[in-house]
Amino acid sequence: MPSAPRKPRVRTFDSAKVRAALQGQVRALRDVVAVVCAEPDAQVLLAARTRLGEWTVRELIVHLVGALELLPDRLAERREPPARAGAGLLDYVGGVASRAAEVADSTVAGAAAFATADPDAVAEALDRAGERLLAAVAETDPATLIPTAFGTMTVADFMVTRLVETVVHADDLADATGVAVRHDRQALAAVTRLLADALAAKAPGGSVEVRVPPFAVVQCMAGPRHTRGTPPNVVETDPLTWIRLATGRAEWAAALSEAAVTASGERADISEQLPLLT
């Protein structure tokens, strides 16, 4: 008889490690943009379409500038400190899709200011945004509360959301431009774990084990719970493929056919739960 789904465990992240990971991932992101903007055909690359619908590479970089500046902006705007945190990381993952149209509109509006900017100016804007973010996280107590679109969050949690933005969109840039990105290992680990936890929260249970070595293992999906030995239903993939599946950048069927994902057992199809964040 199927066991009742367990309450999902929400992982906590060490703020010092997150801060270091953010520094490394911002550096990786800046390196990609610097290479793109230094190419002889940089204007062509900036005008290229990305896998994000109508967004060009230039618009994606503008979005990243805004994503990096959001934390220092929220800190600067703070007046009366909120009494307590009302939102966490799973609220962020669950709320991103509902804000997609708003984010798209603000990105297009922001890109208008960079429509005629030369590539050096685009790279410099990202550099400045990265410096502002890193200065803010270095100077701020991680327990500080700030208002966000998802509710009041701690700076510690909001830093993790910036890891999601920088990892996912650095991969988008690499896909659009062909410029390889060297993700910070701890940044990749944190994003992998957060999205694995989000799956376990969305589909609680213990009938399927999802493995994303070397960073995450979670159990999910209602049904008979496995307790020992080799699990009968197992999904396994690498971190970047998992992130792409969880964010709608890759399709389950295509990943299976390309052997980027293995799924064994009659319950191992988790495609209906994906994507988690779009």
Side-chain angles (χ1 to χ4, degrees), residues 222-260:
R225 178 170 171 74
H226 172 75
T227 56
R228 63 179 62 185
T230 302
N233 302 290
V234 176
V235 174
E236 185 164 334
T237 188
D238 64 275
L240 277 176
T241 298
W242 168 240
I243 290 169
R244 291 165 187 160
L245 286 167
T247 60
R249 270 70 173 175
E251 295 292 333
W252 174 262
L256 278 176
S257 67
E258 295 164 4

Coordinates of all heavy atoms in Angstrom, one line a residue, residues 222-260:
A222 N 4.6 10.2 -5.2 CA 3.9 9.4 -4.3 C 3.9 7.9 -4.8 O 3.9 7.7 -6.0 CB 2.4 9.9 -4.2
G223 N 3.8 7.0 -3.9 CA 3.8 5.6 -4.3 C 4.6 4.8 -3.3 O 5.0 5.3 -2.2
P224 N 4.8 3.5 -3.6 CA 5.5 2.6 -2.6 C 6.9 3.2 -2.4 O 7.6 3.6 -3.3 CB 5.6 1.3 -3.4 CG 4.5 1.3 -4.4 CD 4.3 2.8 -4.8
R225 N 7.2 3.3 -1.1 CA 8.5 3.9 -0.7 C 9.6 2.9 -0.6 O 9.4 1.8 -0.1 CB 8.3 4.6 0.7 CG 9.6 5.2 1.2 CD 9.4 6.1 2.4 NE 10.6 6.5 3.0 CZ 11.4 7.4 2.5 NH1 11.1 8.0 1.4 NH2 12.5 7.7 3.1
H226 N 10.7 3.2 -1.2 CA 11.9 2.4 -1.2 C 12.7 2.6 0.1 O 12.9 3.8 0.4 CB 12.7 2.6 -2.5 CG 14.1 1.9 -2.4 ND1 14.2 0.5 -2.6 CD2 15.3 2.3 -2.2 CE1 15.4 0.2 -2.5 NE2 16.1 1.3 -2.2
T227 N 13.2 1.6 0.7 CA 13.9 1.8 2.0 C 15.3 1.2 1.9 O 16.2 1.6 2.6 CB 13.2 1.2 3.2 OG1 12.9 -0.2 2.9 CG2 11.8 1.9 3.4
R228 N 15.6 0.1 1.2 CA 16.9 -0.5 1.2 C 17.2 -1.2 -0.2 O 16.3 -1.5 -0.9 CB 17.1 -1.5 2.3 CG 16.1 -2.7 2.2 CD 16.4 -3.6 3.4 NE 16.1 -3.0 4.7 CZ 16.3 -3.5 5.8 NH1 16.8 -4.7 5.9 NH2 15.9 -2.9 7.0
G229 N 18.5 -1.4 -0.4 CA 18.9 -2.0 -1.7 C 18.8 -1.0 -2.8 O 18.7 0.2 -2.7
T230 N 18.8 -1.6 -4.1 CA 18.8 -0.8 -5.3 C 17.4 -0.3 -5.5 O 16.4 -1.1 -5.6 CB 19.2 -1.6 -6.5 OG1 20.6 -2.1 -6.3 CG2 19.2 -0.7 -7.7
P231 N 17.2 1.0 -5.6 CA 15.8 1.5 -5.8 C 15.2 1.0 -7.1 O 15.9 0.9 -8.1 CB 16.0 3.1 -5.9 CG 17.3 3.3 -5.2 CD 18.1 2.1 -5.5
P232 N 13.9 0.7 -7.2 CA 13.3 0.2 -8.4 C 13.1 1.3 -9.5 O 13.0 1.0 -10.6 CB 12.0 -0.4 -8.0 CG 11.7 0.3 -6.7 CD 13.0 0.6 -6.1
N233 N 13.0 2.5 -9.0 CA 12.7 3.6 -10.0 C 13.8 4.7 -9.8 O 13.8 5.4 -8.7 CB 11.4 4.2 -9.7 CG 10.2 3.2 -9.8 OD1 9.9 2.7 -10.9 ND2 9.7 2.8 -8.7
V234 N 14.6 4.9 -10.7 CA 15.8 5.8 -10.6 C 15.9 6.6 -11.8 O 15.8 6.2 -13.0 CB 17.1 5.0 -10.4 CG1 18.3 6.0 -10.4 CG2 17.1 4.2 -9.1
V235 N 16.1 7.9 -11.6 CA 16.4 8.9 -12.7 C 17.8 9.4 -12.4 O 18.1 9.8 -11.2 CB 15.4 10.1 -12.7 CG1 15.9 11.1 -13.7 CG2 14.0 9.6 -13.0
E236 N 18.7 9.5 -13.4 CA 20.0 10.0 -13.2 C 20.4 10.9 -14.3 O 20.2 10.5 -15.5 CB 21.0 8.9 -13.0 CG 22.4 9.3 -12.6 CD 23.3 8.3 -12.0 OE1 22.8 7.3 -11.5 OE2 24.5 8.4 -12.2
T237 N 21.1 12.0 -14.0 CA 21.6 12.9 -15.0 C 22.7 13.7 -14.5 O 23.0 13.6 -13.3 CB 20.5 13.7 -15.6 OG1 20.9 14.5 -16.7 CG2 19.9 14.7 -14.6
D238 N 23.3 14.5 -15.3 CA 24.4 15.4 -14.9 C 23.8 16.8 -14.4 O 22.7 17.1 -14.8 CB 25.4 15.6 -16.0 CG 24.8 16.3 -17.2 OD1 24.2 15.6 -18.0 OD2 24.9 17.5 -17.3
P239 N 24.6 17.6 -13.7 CA 24.1 18.8 -13.2 C 23.5 19.8 -14.3 O 22.4 20.3 -14.1 CB 25.2 19.4 -12.5 CG 26.0 18.3 -12.0 CD 25.9 17.3 -13.1
L240 N 24.2 20.0 -15.3 CA 23.7 21.0 -16.3 C 22.5 20.5 -17.0 O 21.6 21.2 -17.3 CB 24.8 21.3 -17.4 CG 25.8 22.4 -16.9 CD1 26.9 22.6 -18.0 CD2 25.1 23.7 -16.7
T241 N 22.5 19.2 -17.3 CA 21.2 18.6 -18.0 C 20.1 18.8 -17.0 O 18.9 19.1 -17.4 CB 21.4 17.2 -18.4 OG1 22.5 17.0 -19.3 CG2 20.1 16.6 -18.9
W242 N 20.3 18.5 -15.7 CA 19.2 18.6 -14.7 C 18.7 20.1 -14.7 O 17.5 20.3 -14.7 CB 19.7 18.2 -13.4 CG 18.8 18.6 -12.2 CD1 19.0 19.3 -11.2 CD2 17.4 18.2 -12.1 NE1 17.9 19.5 -10.4 CE2 16.9 18.8 -11.0 CE3 16.5 17.4 -12.9 CZ2 15.6 18.7 -10.5 CZ3 15.2 17.3 -12.5 CH2 14.7 17.9 -11.3
I243 N 19.6 21.0 -14.6 CA 19.2 22.4 -14.6 C 18.5 22.8 -15.8 O 17.5 23.5 -15.8 CB 20.5 23.3 -14.4 CG1 21.1 23.1 -13.0 CG2 20.2 24.8 -14.6 CD1 22.4 23.7 -12.8
R244 N 18.9 22.3 -17.0 CA 18.2 22.6 -18.2 C 16.8 22.0 -18.2 O 15.8 22.6 -18.7 CB 19.0 22.1 -19.4 CG 20.3 22.9 -19.6 CD 21.2 22.2 -20.6 NE 22.5 22.9 -20.7 CZ 23.6 22.3 -21.1 NH1 23.6 21.1 -21.5 NH2 24.7 23.1 -21.1
L245 N 16.6 20.8 -17.7 CA 15.3 20.2 -17.6 C 14.4 20.9 -16.6 O 13.3 21.2 -16.9 CB 15.5 18.7 -17.2 CG 16.0 17.7 -18.2 CD1 16.4 16.4 -17.5 CD2 15.0 17.5 -19.3
A246 N 15.0 21.3 -15.5 CA 14.2 22.0 -14.5 C 13.8 23.4 -14.8 O 12.8 23.9 -14.3 CB 15.0 22.0 -13.2
T247 N 14.5 24.0 -15.8 CA 14.2 25.4 -16.1 C 13.6 25.4 -17.5 O 13.4 26.5 -18.1 CB 15.5 26.2 -16.1 OG1 16.4 25.7 -17.0 CG2 16.0 26.3 -14.7
G248 N 13.3 24.3 -18.1 CA 12.6 24.3 -19.4 C 13.5 24.5 -20.6 O 13.1 24.8 -21.7
R249 N 14.8 24.4 -20.4 CA 15.8 24.6 -21.5 C 16.0 23.3 -22.3 O 16.5 23.3 -23.4 CB 17.1 25.0 -21.0 CG 17.3 26.5 -20.9 CD 16.5 27.2 -19.9 NE 16.9 28.6 -19.7 CZ 16.2 29.5 -18.9 NH1 15.2 29.0 -18.2 NH2 16.6 30.7 -18.9
A250 N 15.6 22.2 -21.7 CA 15.7 20.9 -22.4 C 14.4 20.1 -22.2 O 13.7 20.3 -21.2 CB 16.9 20.1 -21.8
E251 N 14.1 19.3 -23.2 CA 12.9 18.4 -23.1 C 13.3 17.0 -22.6 O 14.3 16.5 -23.0 CB 12.3 18.3 -24.5 CG 11.8 19.7 -25.1 CD 10.6 20.2 -24.3 OE1 9.9 19.3 -23.7 OE2 10.4 21.4 -24.3
W252 N 12.4 16.5 -21.8 CA 12.6 15.2 -21.2 C 12.8 14.1 -22.3 O 13.8 13.3 -22.2 CB 11.4 14.8 -20.3 CG 11.4 13.4 -19.8 CD1 10.7 12.3 -20.2 CD2 12.1 13.0 -18.6 NE1 11.0 11.2 -19.5 CE2 11.8 11.6 -18.4 CE3 12.9 13.6 -17.7 CZ2 12.3 10.9 -17.4 CZ3 13.5 12.9 -16.6 CH2 13.2 11.5 -16.5
A253 N 12.0 14.1 -23.3 CA 12.1 13.0 -24.3 C 13.4 13.1 -25.1 O 14.1 12.1 -25.3 CB 10.9 13.1 -25.3
A254 N 13.8 14.3 -25.4 CA 15.0 14.5 -26.1 C 16.2 14.1 -25.3 O 17.2 13.5 -25.7 CB 15.2 16.0 -26.6
A255 N 16.2 14.5 -24.0 CA 17.3 14.1 -23.1 C 17.4 12.6 -23.0 O 18.6 12.1 -22.9 CB 17.1 14.8 -21.7
L256 N 16.3 11.9 -22.9 CA 16.3 10.5 -22.8 C 16.9 9.9 -24.1 O 17.8 9.0 -24.1 CB 14.9 9.9 -22.6 CG 14.4 9.9 -21.2 CD1 12.9 9.4 -21.2 CD2 15.2 9.0 -20.3
S257 N 16.5 10.4 -25.2 CA 16.9 9.8 -26.5 C 18.4 10.1 -26.7 O 19.1 9.3 -27.4 CB 16.1 10.4 -27.7 OG 16.4 11.8 -27.9
E258 N 18.9 11.2 -26.2 CA 20.3 11.5 -26.3 C 21.2 10.9 -25.2 O 22.4 11.1 -25.2 CB 20.5 13.0 -26.3 CG 19.9 13.7 -27.5 CD 19.7 15.2 -27.3 OE1 20.2 15.7 -26.3 OE2 19.1 15.8 -28.2
A259 N 20.6 10.1 -24.3 CA 21.2 9.5 -23.2 C 21.8 10.5 -22.2 O 22.7 10.1 -21.5 CB 22.3 8.5 -23.7
A260 N 21.3 11.7 -22.2 CA 21.7 12.7 -21.2 C 21.0 12.4 -19.9 O 21.5 12.9 -18.9 CB 21.4 14.1 -21.7

